Amino acid sequence: PSRTKGKKRKDLSKRTFVQRHSPSGGDSSWGWPSVTRASAMLDKSIGGQDAGGGRIIFDEDGKRWCVGPVTSSSPSAAWCSTPLSVSSDDVIYKYPPSGLYQSTQSQSTSPGLPPPLRVSCPGPATSEPPVQSKHKGQNGRQNKNLQFVLLKPSTCAVMLLNVALAFHYWNRRVDPSSVSKQYARIVGEHEWWRGLTGATAHFEPLHIGFNMMSMNTLGSEIEGSLLNSVEFLMWNGALVVYTTMIMMAMVYARIRYLQRKIDACGNAQPQLQATYEEKQEKVRDTSSVGYSAVLFAWMVISTMERKQPTCPIPFLNDVCFSTYEVPGLPFLRFNLSPIVSLFVCQFIMPRVSFMGHLAGIVAGFLLHWGLLPPLELSSVNVLIGGVFLIGLWVRNETSTDKMGGRDHDEHLQTLIKDFFTANRRNKQYVAVEGDDESQQSIKQRRKLRDLREVGRKQWTLLTIRNVMAFQFVISFYFYGWSSSMVLSQCVLLAYFVFAVCSTQFVWAYTLCGIDDDILDHEKVRSGMIWRGYFMSAVISIIVDSMSVASWVCLPLLVETFQDPSRRIGLLPVCIFTLVLRIGVNLMGLVVASKILHGTVQVGGGIFTALFSPILTSSRLIGDAMLTTTKMPLWTAFEGKGTRLGTRAESDQSERVWL
């Protein structure tokens, strides 16, 4: 038994980058997969991993293509093609040849050899010459570009997004400081969206040109070979967040280092102290833009997965660096090539962000070593909303400390409890109203109407919250506990619970006449929570729709129905996802839009520019479905009024009330 455990541990340490980061590896979930797991299952189904439990790979040592594991420690058989000649064209190494693949097992280890495996693979060329028109070169370029778009859709999508945003910023003459990454704005003023806008912003033709050429090269090498298109797209979004967080941590460490220098100088060295303070202010206010941090992370992945040494310095092909493994830990690889490229870029272009590129290198090493959270947790529908939610919690804690020690939490809780407890007693208000309407002032009647209106709104919010909690619990049965669809719904539920509590505070403050400073502060906090929920809900709906689309793919559908552990059919899970899950999230979008417009906390900048159509349409839906009939604040012939005159003596008791 001890030998078996040691062997398993050794096999785990030798897992490749693809095996460590594949969401399907080690997945024992019985539920329907998310889009990341579905893409891995679909890639496995199409790639034909039935032979020996492994996909078709290229054996660098033997210069041959093999189906199944090729390690000698594996008991499974592998089938390999005839060795390819060294002088063959490079395209042969990209496409496996068709024909008979012979087994690699020897006669001594296996008396009965498995029969040869016939493999049929589409190659780059056929035996028949292609039909060419007069414009040979143009048709070839068009076909090649079209194949690149079809084979590398995520790479093309990232390039298109960056180029479109660069044109938008140039056309609108956007100031780079309004969208760039800046420590003072991101950490000091809690503008976390700058992590997304700064990574996709380019303001110079050379900048966007070099970055997109690098993206084209790295995407062509990684997408489809190391990661499939969905995984590559998700990791691009995750690396934008991770590189921003690592960069902010580096800047914070630099600021703390300079602060210790300032404290050590004291009043004895005022000039040196002023120099350190100037450097600290410069580090805090330095702005950076561009997709280079993510590109450096992918450069690390590409370098570590190459079999040949990497030569990072242009025109110096003899200066190359090989990849080394830590003894005893084969998955911990290291290569100096990305670090050398960092200093080369810094020497050639001094304006480049050293910390931004270094953050990308650190993120790349962490990703390759498997130290970053798995893809299900790093999916954009979980990571972006989760990071924003943690940031809101930290901001709330720090803002409470900055309110001058004013402690009104106990008074606040008592006020909310009394207000909403009394608001539920509609019968009491009806009885008071029926006693003697003429004895009630207009302000009292207005307050009663406002209380009933708030009660209806509160009932709507609590109903949606309870439905979201119910479908979150049911999601464990449909998707499994480790699915990103369950984790994203957990984030949305947390957003909605905090947003409902904050909105109740705003309503209570408004009706009870609390100080405007406290009311405005709570409105801002409520608006930030609702905007975070709105953004997370939109991303979650998009990813859920992609998951449903992946379920109906024929290869995945056949494989799923053949799995006996899959207890749920396609029709029930589609109904649950489309009707209950996406439907409830859409209703949450409508409520969030109405509250944001009602409290004048829609905001501006990137949020309005990105979600303006969704905000407008959801508000119109909310006005048509959720708006209750409000009674006017003043009604004619209502109130005590004034007697204008009298009639005959017999009619003294009759009065006219205005």
Side-chain angles (χ1 to χ4, degrees):
S2 60
R3 293 182 179 178
T4 304
K5 292 181 180 179
K7 184 177 180 180
K8 290 183 178 179
R9 191 179 297 110
K10 184 178 180 181
D11 292 340
L12 289 176
S13 64
K14 288 187 176 181
R15 290 187 305 171
T16 62
F17 173 80
V18 179
Q19 293 172 339
R20 288 198 303 270
H21 295 85
S22 176
S24 60
D27 179 26
S28 59
S29 174
W30 60 82
W32 284 77
S34 61
V35 63
T36 53
R37 285 177 176 167
S39 63
M41 294 173 61
L42 187 62
D43 183 55
K44 174 183 176 182
S45 177
I46 297 177
Q49 292 186 346
D50 296 331
R55 67 178 62 188
I56 182 168
I57 59 175
F58 183 73
D59 183 14
E60 292 284 349
D61 299 331
K63 300 298 180 182
R64 57 184 180 175
W65 284 92
C66 297
V67 178
V70 294
T71 57
S72 58
S73 59
S74 177
S76 302
W79 294 264
C80 296
S81 64
T82 56
L84 303 177
S85 59
V86 182
S87 60
S88 299
D89 191 11
D90 292 336
V91 74
I92 297 180
Y93 296 97
K94 298 181 181 179
Y95 296 89
S98 301
L100 293 178
Y101 283 37
Q102 301 295 334
S103 176
T104 57
Q105 290 184 346
S106 61
Q107 185 71 25
S108 59
T109 58
S110 180
L113 287 177
L117 183 67
R118 180 173 294 277
V119 178
S120 177
C121 297
T126 58
S127 58
E128 298 180 0
V131 180
Q132 298 181 354
S133 61
K134 298 180 180 179
H135 308 283
K136 300 179 182 179
Q138 183 178 0
N139 291 338
R141 288 193 298 270
Q142 290 178 354
N143 294 335
K144 186 177 180 180
N145 295 333
L146 181 60
Q147 289 180 0
F148 181 80
V149 173
L150 296 177
L151 295 177
K152 315 291 181 182
S154 297
T155 302
C156 296
V158 173
M159 294 172 60
L160 180 62
L161 174 65
N162 283 272
V163 172
L165 288 176
F167 175 77
H168 173 77
Y169 293 148
W170 172 81
N171 190 32
R172 297 295 182 90
R173 303 297 188 270
V174 177
D175 188 8
S177 61
S178 61
V179 295
S180 62
K181 295 180 183 179
Q182 189 176 350
Y183 180 86
R185 295 291 187 89
I186 295 178
V187 179
E189 301 182 13
H190 309 287
E191 297 180 357
W192 306 303
W193 47 267
R194 288 179 175 269
L196 304 178
T197 59
T200 54
H202 301 81
F203 294 91
E204 295 180 1
L206 290 178
H207 191 196
I208 184 67
F210 279 124
N211 279 359
M212 292 305 102
M213 284 190 294
S214 301
M215 184 65 200
N216 181 31
T217 303
L218 294 171
S220 302
E221 186 175 351
I222 295 175
E223 184 180 0
S225 57
L226 299 179
L227 299 171
N228 61 47
S229 297
V230 176
E231 294 171 355
F232 185 68
L233 181 62
M234 291 295 178
W235 275 119
N236 270 276
L239 286 175
V240 170
V241 180
Y242 287 137
T243 53
T244 302
M245 296 172 63
I246 295 173
M247 179 182 175
M248 293 300 106
M250 290 180 176
V251 175
Y252 174 77
R254 177 65 175 169
I255 291 175
R256 295 301 302 171
Y257 171 77
L258 293 175
Q259 186 62 40
R260 285 196 295 268
K261 291 289 186 180
I262 294 172
D263 296 338
C265 292
N267 298 326
Q269 299 174 329
Q271 295 182 354
L272 185 60
Q273 182 180 7
T275 302
Y276 284 133
E277 290 178 351
E278 183 179 357
K279 289 183 179 179
Q280 188 184 49
E281 192 68 22
K282 183 179 179 181
V283 171
R284 185 182 288 107
D285 296 335
T286 300
S287 302
S288 62
V289 294
Y291 207 68
S292 304
V294 180
L295 294 177
F296 265 86
W298 289 127
M299 183 191 301
V300 172
I301 302 298
S302 174
T303 302
M304 305 269 266
E305 288 297 315
R306 289 175 186 169
K307 302 297 182 181
Q308 300 83 8
T310 305
C311 307
I313 304 177
F315 309 110
L316 293 178
N317 298 329
D318 295 334
V319 182
C320 302
F321 301 90
S322 302
T323 302
Y324 299 95
E325 296 180 354
V326 178
L329 298 174
F331 67 93
L332 285 180
R333 298 180 181 179
F334 186 78
N335 194 310
L336 286 174
S337 178
I339 301 177
V340 175
S341 299
L342 171 64
F343 286 98
V344 170
C345 291
Q346 194 71 27
F347 176 77
I348 297 176
M349 297 173 288
R351 290 180 55 192
V352 300
S353 175
F354 180 81
M355 286 192 177
H357 292 178
L358 183 59
I361 293 176
V362 173
F365 278 114
L366 294 177
L367 175 61
H368 192 275
W369 295 340
L371 299 180
L372 290 181
L375 186 55
E376 289 296 306
L377 193 59
S378 299
S379 183
V380 291
N381 57 331
V382 180
L383 182 63
I384 296 179
V387 170
F388 273 63
L389 186 62
I390 296 174
L392 287 173
W393 179 79
V394 174
R395 182 183 185 274
N396 182 49
E397 294 295 325
T398 55
S399 63
T400 303
D401 298 336
K402 293 180 180 180
M403 293 180 65
R406 182 172 49 190
D407 186 11
H408 58 275
D409 291 340
E410 183 177 356
H411 167 70
L412 185 62
Q413 296 293 340
T414 304
L415 178 64
I416 295 297
K417 181 179 179 181
D418 296 342
F419 170 71
F420 285 106
T421 301
N423 190 25
R424 296 190 185 97
R425 301 173 182 173
N426 292 327
K427 295 183 179 179
Q428 179 181 354
Y429 287 117
V430 173
V432 172
E433 184 180 2
D435 291 341
D436 187 3
E437 296 184 3
S438 62
Q439 299 300 324
Q440 297 183 11
S441 64
I442 297 178
K443 292 184 178 180
Q444 290 175 339
R445 293 177 58 79
R446 182 187 304 171
K447 186 173 183 179
L448 293 177
R449 288 194 294 267
D450 292 339
L451 287 174
R452 295 193 193 95
E453 184 69 21
V454 171
R456 287 189 288 266
K457 294 179 180 179
Q458 183 196 10
W459 180 86
T460 302
L461 291 179
L462 296 180
T463 301
I464 296 177
R465 184 199 64 183
N466 295 335
V467 174
M468 290 181 65
F470 171 74
Q471 65 113 347
F472 167 67
V473 175
I474 299 299
S475 297
F476 286 93
Y477 180 77
F478 281 92
Y479 311 121
W481 67 272
S482 61
S483 174
S484 62
M485 301 181 72
V486 176
L487 298 176
S488 64
Q489 196 61 36
C490 178
V491 173
L492 290 178
L493 180 60
Y495 266 117
F496 202 85
V497 170
F498 295 147
V500 168
C501 294
S502 182
T503 304
Q504 289 178 346
F505 286 120
V506 172
W507 290 340
Y509 287 162
T510 304
L511 294 180
C512 298
I514 301 298
D515 189 9
D516 291 340
D517 295 336
I518 303 177
L519 177 60
D520 294 340
H521 174 77
E522 192 62 37
K523 281 186 176 181
V524 172
R525 189 167 73 99
S526 175
M528 293 189 66
I529 299 175
W530 279 116
R531 288 196 295 270
Y533 170 81
F534 196 95
M535 175 196 63
S536 301
V538 171
I539 298 176
S540 179
I541 291 173
I542 294 175
V543 176
D544 290 350
S545 302
M546 294 171 61
S547 300
V548 175
S550 66
W551 295 340
V552 298
C553 293
L554 184 59
L556 182 62
L557 192 62
V558 173
E559 180 179 349
T560 304
F561 278 121
Q562 292 177 352
D563 188 2
S565 62
R566 199 82 54 186
R567 303 194 299 244
I568 312 166
L570 177 64
L571 184 60
V573 72
C574 287
I575 293 176
F576 173 80
T577 304
L578 295 175
V579 176
L580 186 58
R581 181 182 174 90
I582 297 181
V584 172
N585 291 336
L586 287 174
M587 184 59 66
L589 287 180
V590 173
V591 172
S593 179
K594 281 190 64 63
I595 294 178
L596 287 174
H597 284 91
T599 56
V600 198
Q601 293 296 325
V602 178
I606 187 64
F607 180 80
T608 306
L610 187 61
F611 299 110
S612 179
I614 306 177
L615 283 168
T616 304
S617 58
S618 58
R619 183 188 180 185
L620 294 176
I621 295 174
D623 292 340
M625 295 178 57
L626 300 178
T627 302
T628 56
T629 304
K630 293 185 178 181
M631 298 182 64
L633 299 180
W634 181 84
T635 306
F637 303 101
E638 182 181 280
K640 188 174 181 180
T642 304
R643 187 176 64 177
L644 299 181
T646 59
R647 296 184 183 179
E649 294 294 335
S650 59
D651 297 332
Q652 283 289 340
S653 59
E654 295 184 7
R655 299 176 181 178
V656 179
W657 298 91
L658 297 180

